[in-house]
Amino acid sequence: MFRQLAPRANSLRSPLLSRARGYATAGASKAHHKVVVVGGGTAGTTVAAQLRRSREAQDYLKTNDIAIIDKASVHSYQPGWTLVGTGLRSMSDMSKSMADVIPSGVQHYPMQVADFLPDSNSIKTAEGFEITYDYLVVVPGLKTDLGAVKGLEEALADSKSNVSSIYSEPSVEQTWRNIQAFEGGDAIFTQPAGVFKCAGAPQKVLWMALSQWKLDGKRDQVRATFATGAPSMFAVPKYSKALEQLRVERNVEGLFQHNLSAVDTKRRVATFKDLANKKDVERPYNFLHVVPPQKPHDFVAKSPLADPASGWVSVDQFNTRHTKYENVFSIGDASSLPNSKTAAAISAQAPVLVDNLLATIRGEQKLAGRYDGYASCPLLTGHDELMLAEFKYGGIPKETFESLAGSQDVPRKAFYHLKKDIFPAVYWNAFLKGTWYGPSGLFRPDTSASS
């Protein structure tokens, strides 16, 4: 029998949590669960929900056998921040109480992980709690590193700086206010070098801002620049070619391999590191939208679970299991999976993880579930148009609607309404409840099928 600490599984106000905090203060608290999920975001909630819904899992996992550790009290639909920042949706549509999204029968610990001790199958929290497990799913997301760009934190805190970012929750609505208020001049949109979540989001803000300024009769007064640390518009060649064509047609300057390093709000100057020529480049701005660098959380990067070179949780890119610890799995933003860090990717990763976790519980050595690298980036390119980029490992397109709508490098109105109107509803009503599987929709895919 696995020790269970309370009958109520997912209430933030449950007696368990009061006792847990009290025990942590006394330095004497400890708990055990068969499966512990670190992270209550998209990946963690979805995996827990799919496990709870699985008929097979019900043979192994009873009420409170699964626990989620996440200090947050609010769950955010972060893909929707692009919609909020460009005036298409309200911020109130993009979050719910954590208590409302954690699946029934799953124990929630509103605590901060401090240390992973995988050799003893245990986790220590910053509150002094120790939680042991039989199986571990590590999905805490990543950290947006505002401090990596000199002056950025101060700029975002100043509503009059004309600097904003949809990657910083307090600044999401400021992005839309800045777009509305802008009357003309130099508008710069940045994208960092390296790994960050939702590789298309920097461009979504660019294209939607230009579209809004065109509607407002201001476009001719705007000198637009897309400054990216990457060598091209997008990592997948098919979509990069189409986006480059849009950039040229819409008169947007491209600063490639230029990585933002500093923001000076007094001088209204952004400084970039020219990665090709190894020199600093200063550019004046009147409007600046920043996508900050991102990195693993310290408690992940400094743990035995991390790949030493990258800091991400080291997993097999096809079966999602840890490369050293066979009872540990990871997907989503915190994992070393070498593809885009998007919610759409999680929709394809989660059933693979669940199938392979259950196979591990059954004692199987060979894991049949296989992830082919599927990810999707719904690229808003203006009002009533969206380029639905879908691809798998190797930058190979894997387009769901190609047979019906044609090549998806062409922006379409129907795709725009998928992103704006359909996807948020699907997220809250199916994705987080464990009944949405990305390209397969509501039909659970055979994860053992060859990709």
Side-chain angles (χ1 to χ4, degrees):
M1 289 288 293
F2 294 100
R3 283 170 287 173
Q4 298 175 9
L5 298 181
R8 295 182 65 186
N10 60 352
S11 171
L12 289 174
R13 297 170 295 278
S14 72
L16 164 69
L17 300 179
S18 297
R19 293 205 306 273
R21 292 191 185 97
Y23 291 160
T25 301
S29 60
K30 190 173 184 179
H32 179 90
H33 296 270
K34 195 163 189 179
V35 177
V36 171
V37 180
V38 174
T42 302
T45 304
T46 299
V47 166
Q50 289 189 20
L51 283 170
R52 287 292 293 161
R53 296 183 68 88
S54 168
R55 291 182 180 179
E56 179 187 354
Q58 291 172 13
D59 294 334
Y60 310 112
L61 305 172
K62 309 304 181 185
T63 297
N64 287 342
D65 272 354
I66 305 170
I68 288 177
I69 306 174
D70 194 315
K71 193 172 182 65
S73 60
V74 173
H75 179 108
S76 295
Y77 175 51
Q78 292 186 23
W81 290 0
T82 306
L83 301 174
V84 176
T86 55
L88 300 180
R89 294 293 294 261
S90 167
M91 195 65 169
S92 62
D93 297 336
M94 302 305 158
S95 63
K96 290 188 177 184
S97 165
M98 190 72 82
D100 291 335
V101 301
I102 290 181
S104 175
V106 173
Q107 182 65 60
H108 177 212
Y109 291 90
M111 298 179 179
Q112 176 62 52
V113 170
D115 293 299
F116 290 103
L117 303 169
D119 290 314
S120 59
N121 292 334
S122 67
I123 294 168
K124 290 186 177 180
T125 75
E127 295 81 2
F129 217 81
E130 181 181 1
I131 302 173
T132 56
Y133 57 82
D134 293 341
Y135 305 93
L136 176 64
V137 179
V138 186
V139 284
L142 51 69
K143 180 179 180 180
T144 299
D145 192 7
L146 300 178
V149 177
K150 184 180 180 181
L152 179 57
E153 290 181 284
E154 295 81 1
L156 293 178
D158 181 359
S159 62
K160 297 181 180 180
S161 69
N162 286 353
V163 180
S164 64
S165 176
I166 61 163
Y167 281 77
S168 174
E169 185 170 4
S171 180
V172 175
E173 292 176 301
Q174 186 63 43
T175 300
W176 174 233
R177 289 192 287 268
N178 287 357
I179 290 173
Q180 290 178 295
F182 189 56
E183 295 297 331
D186 293 300
I188 302 177
F189 302 79
T190 79
Q191 174 176 308
V195 176
F196 63 100
K197 55 185 172 183
C198 194
Q203 289 189 61
K204 296 176 191 180
V205 180
L206 161 68
W207 301 126
M208 289 304 299
L210 294 181
S211 180
Q212 186 63 49
W213 292 331
K214 183 178 180 179
L215 291 174
D216 294 341
K218 303 175 183 178
R219 178 63 183 92
D220 289 343
Q221 285 75 53
V222 177
R223 296 178 295 276
T225 299
F226 183 58
T228 171
S232 62
M233 291 294 286
F234 201 70
V236 179
K238 175 178 181 176
Y239 306 115
S240 183
K241 181 179 179 181
L243 291 164
E244 174 65 12
Q245 184 175 340
L246 281 185
R247 184 189 69 78
V248 174
E249 289 175 353
R250 297 180 182 183
N251 193 27
V252 176
E253 179 188 14
L255 281 184
F256 298 102
Q257 292 187 282
H258 279 62
N259 200 40
L260 183 68
S261 59
V263 177
D264 185 335
T265 57
K266 292 182 179 179
R267 298 169 56 219
R268 292 290 172 95
V269 167
T271 301
F272 297 87
K273 177 68 69 175
D274 181 340
L275 303 178
N277 298 307
K278 310 296 182 184
K279 64 179 182 180
D280 290 336
V281 175
E282 289 190 345
R283 297 294 296 263
Y285 71 85
N286 304 103
F287 174 103
L288 180 63
H289 180 265
V290 177
V291 178
Q294 288 148 53
K295 64 181 183 179
H297 290 290
D298 287 345
F299 67 88
V300 171
K302 296 177 181 179
S303 78
L305 301 176
D307 171 70
S310 68
W312 306 110
V313 181
S314 180
V315 295
D316 181 283
Q317 70 177 39
F318 300 112
N319 66 31
T320 76
R321 185 162 68 179
H322 196 273
T323 53
K324 178 180 178 182
Y325 300 98
E326 294 188 351
N327 63 336
V328 177
F329 292 80
S330 180
I331 57 174
D333 295 352
S335 75
S336 65
L337 295 172
N339 69 328
S340 294
K341 297 182 182 295
T342 67
I346 291 169
S347 73
Q349 294 163 1
V352 174
L353 185 154
V354 168
D355 285 352
N356 287 337
L357 173 58
L358 291 175
T360 302
I361 293 175
R362 292 193 302 267
E364 297 177 12
Q365 292 299 311
K366 185 176 181 180
L367 303 183
R370 184 177 175 85
Y371 173 56
D372 67 359
Y374 173 83
S376 175
C377 186
L379 277 154
L380 290 159
T381 55
H383 289 85
D384 287 328
E385 60 176 64
L386 183 144
M387 184 185 299
L388 185 56
E390 293 182 289
F391 44 92
K392 59 183 181 179
Y393 285 145
I396 300 171
K398 186 180 179 180
E399 298 180 342
T400 304
F401 302 102
E402 182 180 19
S403 61
L404 296 174
S407 180
Q408 290 179 198
D409 60 350
V410 178
R412 301 182 189 279
K413 184 175 182 178
F415 294 157
Y416 171 87
H417 287 289
L418 275 179
K419 168 70 175 176
K420 175 178 176 291
D421 303 315
I422 304 301
F423 286 164
V426 167
Y427 184 81
W428 296 119
N429 297 308
F431 200 159
L432 294 183
K433 297 182 185 301
T435 60
W436 179 256
Y437 306 102
S440 300
L442 297 172
F443 299 96
R444 200 179 196 286
D446 177 3
T447 64
S448 65
S450 59
S451 59

